[in-house]
Amino acid sequence: IHGSAVNKELASLIISESIPHIIIGHPSFESELCWIDTNHSLAGQYAASHMIQCGYTDVIFIGGRKTDIISTQRLKGFLGKMLDYGFHIPQSKIGYTDATRQGAYETSLRLLDQNAAPQAIICENNTLALGVMKALTEKGLTVPDNIAVLTFDVYPYSSIIDPSLTIIDINVYDMGIQAGNMMIRKLENPDLLIQSYTTLPLLIQGKSTVPLTSR
């Protein structure tokens, strides 16, 4: 079950009926559910470290809904790591969306109008990156010459975006394999409790971020 579909009532039913299960993503509440997840906060830290390595300190973050757990974790990791480097990202440079391409497009236009053109934009996923790229094209900003772009997740749109995006990737295929293996173990032993992180993020260098010194 995807973590976003789980609530306390469903959790109580699963536990009371002893239903073998694996939740993909850490539930947002305390429970006895079995789940696997990746470290999304660490992924946000990777994004911040890459920004600093490239020399980008003026960065806009385009996220999903404020209630989206994954988006919140990635944003928290990014903001915390930037602060560790001595750079505070103000709320005026954080954009929340309805998690759609159109929402990202509209939010990007608004933030670009409200702020002087930043050095870079981070997209919480590559669906949002599609909307961001559309907004940048409309503003006449070229990637990476005028502005850099980084996104999370390879799937499903990153391969069709030009130039190729720099990506903080979560190996969701491996997570699926782990979930399958754990489900088999649960079927064999219904009382087994499984709560673990199974994957770590990976930076895939694309053409959308370059060191400022090479621009």
Side-chain angles (χ1 to χ4, degrees), residues 2 4 61-76 94-101 103-104 107 124-125 127-128:
H2 194 280
S4 63
F61 188 100
I62 303 294
R65 298 179 178 88
K66 288 185 177 181
T67 55
D68 186 300
I69 297 172
I70 292 176
S71 181
T72 299
Q73 290 176 343
R74 290 173 173 176
L75 175 59
K76 182 179 179 180
I94 300 172
Y96 298 98
T97 72
D98 61 358
T100 66
R101 179 180 63 176
T107 298
E124 190 273 320
N125 62 52
T127 297
L128 302 184

Coordinates of all heavy atoms in Angstrom, one line a residue, residues 2 4 61-76 94-101 103-104 107 124-125 127-128:
H2 N 0.6 2.2 -0.9 CA 1.3 3.4 -0.9 C 1.1 4.2 0.4 O -0.1 4.3 0.8 CB 1.0 4.3 -2.1 CG 1.9 5.4 -2.4 ND1 1.9 6.6 -1.7 CD2 3.0 5.5 -3.2 CE1 2.8 7.4 -2.1 NE2 3.5 6.7 -3.1
S4 N 0.8 7.3 1.1 CA -0.2 8.4 1.0 C -1.6 7.9 1.2 O -2.5 8.7 1.4 CB 0.0 9.1 -0.3 OG -0.3 8.3 -1.4
F61 N 12.9 26.7 -4.3 CA 12.5 25.3 -4.2 C 11.0 25.2 -4.5 O 10.2 25.9 -3.9 CB 12.7 24.8 -2.7 CG 12.4 23.3 -2.5 CD1 13.5 22.4 -2.5 CD2 11.1 22.8 -2.4 CE1 13.3 21.1 -2.3 CE2 10.9 21.5 -2.2 CZ 12.0 20.6 -2.2
I62 N 10.7 24.4 -5.5 CA 9.3 24.2 -5.9 C 8.9 22.8 -5.4 O 9.4 21.8 -5.9 CB 9.1 24.2 -7.5 CG1 9.6 25.6 -8.0 CG2 7.7 24.0 -7.8 CD1 8.8 26.8 -7.6
G63 N 7.9 22.8 -4.5 CA 7.5 21.6 -3.8 C 6.1 21.2 -4.2 O 5.4 21.9 -5.0
G64 N 5.6 20.1 -3.6 CA 4.3 19.7 -3.8 C 3.4 20.4 -2.8 O 3.6 21.5 -2.4
R65 N 2.3 19.7 -2.3 CA 1.4 20.2 -1.3 C 2.1 20.3 0.0 O 3.0 19.5 0.3 CB 0.2 19.4 -1.2 CG -0.6 19.3 -2.5 CD -1.9 18.4 -2.2 NE -2.7 18.3 -3.4 CZ -2.5 17.4 -4.4 NH1 -1.5 16.5 -4.3 NH2 -3.3 17.4 -5.5
K66 N 1.7 21.2 0.9 CA 2.3 21.4 2.2 C 2.1 20.1 3.0 O 2.8 19.8 3.9 CB 1.7 22.6 2.9 CG 2.2 23.9 2.4 CD 1.6 25.1 3.3 CE 2.1 26.4 2.8 NZ 1.7 27.5 3.6
T67 N 1.1 19.3 2.7 CA 0.7 18.1 3.4 C 1.5 16.9 2.9 O 1.3 15.8 3.5 CB -0.8 17.9 3.4 OG1 -1.2 17.8 2.0 CG2 -1.5 19.0 4.1
D68 N 2.2 17.1 1.8 CA 2.9 15.9 1.2 C 4.1 15.6 2.0 O 5.0 16.4 2.1 CB 3.3 16.3 -0.3 CG 3.9 15.1 -1.0 OD1 4.9 14.6 -0.5 OD2 3.4 14.7 -2.0
I69 N 4.2 14.4 2.5 CA 5.2 14.0 3.5 C 6.6 13.9 2.8 O 7.6 14.5 3.3 CB 4.9 12.6 4.1 CG1 3.7 12.7 4.9 CG2 6.1 12.1 4.9 CD1 3.2 11.3 5.4
I70 N 6.6 13.3 1.6 CA 7.9 13.2 0.9 C 8.4 14.6 0.5 O 9.6 14.9 0.7 CB 7.7 12.4 -0.4 CG1 7.5 10.9 0.0 CG2 9.0 12.4 -1.3 CD1 7.2 10.0 -1.2
S71 N 7.6 15.5 0.0 CA 8.0 16.8 -0.4 C 8.5 17.6 0.9 O 9.5 18.3 0.8 CB 6.8 17.6 -1.0 OG 7.2 18.9 -1.4
T72 N 7.8 17.4 2.0 CA 8.2 18.1 3.2 C 9.6 17.6 3.7 O 10.4 18.4 4.1 CB 7.2 17.9 4.3 OG1 5.9 18.4 3.9 CG2 7.6 18.5 5.6
Q73 N 9.8 16.3 3.6 CA 11.1 15.7 4.0 C 12.2 16.2 3.2 O 13.3 16.6 3.7 CB 11.0 14.2 4.0 CG 10.1 13.6 5.1 CD 10.0 12.1 5.0 OE1 10.3 11.5 4.0 NE2 9.5 11.5 6.1
R74 N 12.0 16.2 1.9 CA 13.1 16.7 1.0 C 13.4 18.2 1.2 O 14.5 18.6 1.2 CB 12.6 16.5 -0.5 CG 12.6 15.0 -0.9 CD 12.1 14.7 -2.2 NE 12.2 13.3 -2.6 CZ 11.8 12.7 -3.7 NH1 11.1 13.4 -4.6 NH2 12.0 11.4 -3.9
L75 N 12.3 19.0 1.4 CA 12.5 20.4 1.6 C 13.2 20.6 3.0 O 14.2 21.4 3.0 CB 11.1 21.1 1.7 CG 11.2 22.6 2.1 CD1 12.0 23.4 1.1 CD2 9.7 23.1 2.2
K76 N 12.9 19.9 4.0 CA 13.5 20.0 5.3 C 15.0 19.7 5.2 O 15.8 20.4 5.8 CB 12.8 19.1 6.3 CG 13.4 19.2 7.7 CD 12.6 18.3 8.7 CE 13.2 18.4 10.1 NZ 12.5 17.5 11.0
I94 N 10.2 29.6 -1.5 CA 9.7 28.3 -1.4 C 8.3 28.3 -2.0 O 7.4 29.1 -1.5 CB 9.7 27.7 0.0 CG1 11.1 27.7 0.6 CG2 9.1 26.4 0.1 CD1 11.1 27.4 2.1
G95 N 8.1 27.5 -3.0 CA 6.7 27.5 -3.6 C 6.0 26.2 -3.5 O 6.6 25.1 -3.8
Y96 N 4.8 26.2 -3.0 CA 4.0 25.0 -2.9 C 3.0 24.9 -4.0 O 2.6 25.9 -4.5 CB 3.3 25.0 -1.5 CG 4.2 24.9 -0.3 CD1 4.5 26.1 0.4 CD2 4.8 23.8 0.1 CE1 5.3 26.1 1.5 CE2 5.6 23.8 1.2 CZ 5.9 24.9 1.9 OH 6.7 24.9 3.0
T97 N 2.7 23.7 -4.5 CA 1.9 23.5 -5.6 C 0.8 22.5 -5.3 O 0.8 21.9 -4.2 CB 2.7 23.0 -6.8 OG1 3.1 21.6 -6.6 CG2 3.9 23.9 -7.0
D98 N -0.1 22.2 -6.3 CA -1.0 21.2 -6.1 C -0.5 19.9 -6.7 O -1.2 18.9 -7.0 CB -2.4 21.5 -6.8 CG -2.2 21.8 -8.3 OD1 -1.0 21.7 -8.8 OD2 -3.2 22.0 -9.0
A99 N 0.8 19.8 -6.8 CA 1.5 18.6 -7.3 C 1.3 18.3 -8.7 O 1.5 17.1 -9.2 CB 1.2 17.4 -6.4
T100 N 0.9 19.3 -9.5 CA 0.7 19.0 -11.0 C 1.7 19.9 -11.8 O 2.3 20.8 -11.2 CB -0.7 19.4 -11.4 OG1 -0.9 20.8 -11.2 CG2 -1.8 18.7 -10.6
R101 N 1.9 19.5 -13.0 CA 2.7 20.3 -13.9 C 2.2 21.7 -14.0 O 3.0 22.7 -14.0 CB 2.8 19.6 -15.3 CG 3.6 20.4 -16.3 CD 3.6 19.7 -17.6 NE 2.3 19.6 -18.2 CZ 2.0 19.1 -19.5 NH1 3.0 18.6 -20.2 NH2 0.8 19.2 -19.9
G103 N 0.4 23.4 -11.9 CA 0.6 24.1 -10.6 C 2.0 24.5 -10.5 O 2.3 25.6 -10.0
A104 N 3.0 23.7 -10.9 CA 4.4 24.1 -10.9 C 4.7 25.2 -11.8 O 5.5 26.2 -11.5 CB 5.3 22.9 -11.2
T107 N 3.2 28.4 -10.2 CA 3.9 28.8 -9.0 C 5.3 29.4 -9.4 O 5.8 30.4 -8.8 CB 4.1 27.6 -8.0 OG1 2.8 27.2 -7.6 CG2 5.0 28.0 -6.8
E124 N 10.8 19.4 -6.6 CA 10.6 18.2 -5.7 C 10.4 16.9 -6.5 O 10.7 15.9 -5.9 CB 9.4 18.5 -4.8 CG 9.3 17.5 -3.6 CD 8.4 16.3 -4.0 OE1 7.4 16.5 -4.7 OE2 8.8 15.2 -3.6
N125 N 9.9 17.0 -7.7 CA 9.9 15.8 -8.5 C 9.9 16.2 -10.0 O 9.8 17.4 -10.3 CB 8.7 14.8 -8.2 CG 7.4 15.5 -8.4 OD1 7.1 16.1 -9.5 ND2 6.5 15.5 -7.4
T127 N 7.7 15.7 -12.4 CA 6.5 16.2 -12.9 C 6.4 17.7 -12.7 O 6.0 18.4 -13.6 CB 5.3 15.5 -12.1 OG1 5.3 14.1 -12.4 CG2 3.9 16.1 -12.6
L128 N 6.9 18.1 -11.6 CA 6.9 19.6 -11.3 C 8.0 20.2 -12.2 O 7.8 21.4 -12.6 CB 7.3 19.9 -9.8 CG 6.3 19.3 -8.8 CD1 6.7 19.7 -7.4 CD2 4.9 19.7 -9.1

